Amino acid sequence: MIGKKTLSDEKLALITFSGPLSKTGELIEEVKEFISSEDLEIAGDPVVIFYTSPLKDDGRYDAGIPVKGESEGAGDIKIVTIQQIRRGLLEDETLCR
């Protein structure tokens, strides 16, 4: 089940991806490794921002983790500040761990 939640401004380390939602877990692991290598602090639970329907086999989305600290990103991983947004939440968050 997917729900919505309004979030305050936050800084995210994220990867923008087009493909199957099932790849989310791999992307989150890649972001976690980056956070460790950059000496950043995890500041919240993983998030997925959908640009297309999450129910499609292939979609476009950002997969990331809120962070504290300074970094410019590297490779596919960007550091962005998201202003107040609505975020889709998966009741079964196993994809995001």
Side-chain angles (χ1 to χ4, degrees):
M1 179 60 85
I2 297 173
K4 292 182 181 178
K5 180 179 180 181
T6 300
L7 302 175
S8 301
D9 293 0
E10 67 182 339
K11 187 187 306 185
L12 298 173
L14 60 78
I15 298 175
T16 299
F17 180 74
S18 293
L21 184 60
S22 61
K23 185 138 169 120
T24 304
E26 293 173 42
L27 298 173
I28 292 297
E29 285 304 315
E30 190 175 333
V31 173
K32 282 182 182 178
E33 289 172 14
F34 169 79
I35 290 169
S36 289
S37 72
E38 292 288 307
D39 207 24
L40 296 169
E41 180 182 342
I42 293 177
D45 294 327
V47 298
V48 177
I49 301 169
F50 297 97
Y51 298 102
T52 57
S53 171
L55 304 178
K56 291 184 176 186
D57 289 337
D58 282 340
R60 187 170 152 259
Y61 53 91
D62 292 334
I65 299 173
V67 294
K68 291 182 184 176
E70 296 301 321
S71 174
E72 294 185 17
D76 292 338
I77 299 174
K78 299 178 278 190
I79 304 294
V80 299
T81 298
I82 304 288
Q83 294 185 353
Q84 188 173 11
I85 60 170
R86 290 179 64 95
R87 169 175 85 168
L89 300 173
L90 298 174
E91 281 187 11
D92 177 6
E93 293 191 27
T94 56
L95 291 176
C96 298
R97 293 180 196 250

